Amino acid sequence: MKMQISYILKGCVVMSMDTLKVKIIKKAWEDADFKARLLADPRSALKQDFGIEVPEGIELSVLAETPAHYALVIPPQPEELDQLKSTGVQPQISWN
């Protein structure tokens, strides 16, 4: 069972989180300046390069993994996604 989450961000852009993550990672691999800006100020980097406005109240952390340092991200439980509605992000969940 796979959970797919799509978000409607300001500007009515609809894209799966997986698709968005792949686009951001690809750009960071190909563009060292973007990667540096993304690590330093993810909100501004996403706005400048992707036109994505991360709603106020959403904290965004960006980590760069290395061959010797990995990150494990535990996503919110589906019930917790309701809390996002008050921030302007509208989660849409489908279970496959």
Side-chain angles (χ1 to χ4, degrees), residues 5-87:
I5 302 172
S6 297
Y7 290 98
I8 300 174
L9 299 174
K10 292 179 183 175
C12 297
V13 174
V14 179
M15 181 181 311
S16 76
M17 283 300 283
D18 289 340
T19 300
L20 179 58
K21 285 179 186 179
V22 167
K23 288 182 180 220
I24 293 168
I25 291 166
K26 186 173 190 254
K27 182 159 180 74
W29 284 347
E30 296 171 350
D31 183 341
D33 178 62
F34 171 72
K35 181 179 178 180
R37 289 185 292 110
L38 185 64
L39 288 165
D41 185 356
R43 188 177 299 272
S44 292
L46 292 176
K47 171 73 172 161
Q48 181 178 342
D49 290 64
F50 288 87
I52 295 171
E53 292 185 26
V54 179
E56 292 300 321
I58 296 292
E59 183 178 334
L60 179 61
S61 301
V62 177
L63 303 171
E65 292 184 332
T66 69
H69 181 247
Y70 291 87
L72 174 64
V73 177
I74 301 170
Q77 295 178 348
E79 302 82 37
E80 295 173 317
L81 293 174
D82 287 337
Q83 296 172 4
L84 292 176
K85 291 179 182 176
S86 65
T87 66

